[in-house]
Amino acid sequence: MGGAFFLQSAFIWGVFFVCMKLLEQWWGQALYAVLDRINVDISLGHVRWRTTALNYFFQHVGLRYAAWWRAWFNVGVAVGAVAMVGSLALLVVNLTWMLGSLWKDYGSIASIDPSELMIITPVVPGINVPSNQLWHLMVALVVSGVIHEAGHALAAASERVRVQSCGMFVTYIYPGAFVDLAEDGLARLDPAALLRIYSAGAWHNTVLAVGSVILLTTMHIWAAPLYTFSAQGPYPTHSLLITL
């Protein structure tokens, strides 16, 4: 299943790239002129779109509430420091269980099934993510990427660092977002300000994850007017939802 998925993805990218080369032969430099006008860059396995339309928004909101943003991202720096230590511990424990699965005949770990105690499991489309759930993963990646980069942009703007552009990209099967910050602005900042900017993305993802868990665990409360919850899962109670 996994091999077939990656082969299909490679085939789609191959067809796309061949089509772009044919268009290049037919249109010549006119094709690149059109792509430049819409701020799209295309290479093998990679498509990127950028815009400056949100520059004013980030600069305005970041500077207007600069004191609040600095306090907010200071919390992010503290949480990031704690999470970094915790993440390292998780990686060490996860590696221990993985090694235990290779050497089951040695030590007390032999009586434990490491696969049942894995803390970190890579999410690989086509391997442990069914193809019919791929869009859920893609939407989650896009949302988390946008919120991540918005954190960097707002943190930078609050430190008077110019946001030059932002945008979206797809690399092979991975969708994401990016923000381009002025290097000269970053170069003049002190270490504390740089920490706020660099940790802002992960901090926003942490808040997003915690908020998502809260929404999921309280769904039986806030979704109660529309759904009836049972051991089999939610069932729509509103006639319109049932019709849909």
Side-chain angles (χ1 to χ4, degrees):
M1 175 182 174
F5 172 80
F6 285 105
L7 285 175
Q8 290 170 2
S9 301
F11 176 76
I12 292 172
W13 272 111
V15 171
F16 176 74
F17 190 71
V18 169
C19 290
M20 290 301 301
K21 284 300 181 182
L22 290 174
L23 290 174
E24 181 182 348
Q25 292 294 322
W26 294 334
W27 290 0
Q29 292 301 315
L31 173 63
Y32 294 104
V34 171
L35 294 177
D36 286 340
R37 279 200 298 271
I38 60 177
N39 298 315
V40 172
D41 298 318
I42 298 176
S43 58
L44 183 59
H46 181 81
V47 176
R48 183 177 65 172
W49 168 77
R50 67 170 59 234
T51 180
T52 58
L54 295 176
N55 290 8
Y56 175 78
F57 169 79
F58 287 129
Q59 299 292 160
H60 177 72
V61 175
L63 284 174
R64 183 172 184 178
Y65 305 103
W68 187 91
W69 287 119
R70 290 193 187 103
W72 170 251
F73 291 120
N74 277 333
V75 176
V77 171
V79 172
V82 174
M84 182 171 59
V85 176
S87 298
L88 181 60
L90 284 176
L91 288 172
V92 171
V93 172
N94 195 68
L95 178 61
T96 300
W97 289 123
M98 289 179 66
L99 293 176
S101 67
L102 297 176
W103 295 294
K104 292 183 180 180
D105 295 334
Y106 299 93
S108 59
I109 199 173
S111 61
I112 303 174
D113 182 3
S115 63
E116 296 180 357
L117 298 173
M118 277 296 221
I119 298 174
I120 302 173
T121 301
V123 177
V124 183
I127 303 297
N128 55 6
V129 178
S131 57
N132 63 344
Q133 297 179 14
L134 188 59
W135 285 109
H136 298 83
L137 176 61
M138 296 298 106
V139 170
L141 288 173
V142 169
V143 171
S144 62
V146 168
I147 291 178
H148 180 104
E149 297 303 328
H152 289 308
L154 290 169
S158 69
E159 303 292 345
R160 298 185 179 276
V161 175
R162 187 174 70 258
V163 177
Q164 299 185 136
S165 66
C166 60
M168 307 290 294
F169 67 86
V170 176
T171 299
Y172 193 48
I173 60 170
Y174 174 76
F178 69 91
V179 62
D180 183 17
L181 306 177
E183 293 292 338
D184 56 343
L186 293 172
R188 63 173 172 75
L189 296 179
D190 59 80
L194 287 173
L195 272 176
R196 283 193 289 270
I197 295 174
Y198 293 150
S199 64
W203 169 230
H204 272 198
N205 285 145
T206 301
V207 174
L208 174 64
V210 172
S212 299
V213 170
I214 292 174
L215 284 176
L216 185 62
T217 55
T218 59
M219 183 182 292
H220 63 286
I221 298 175
W222 56 264
L226 299 176
Y227 291 90
T228 299
F229 293 84
S230 65
Q232 289 72 36
Y235 180 78
T237 55
H238 195 279
S239 59
L240 178 61
L241 291 176
I242 297 175
T243 303
L244 293 176

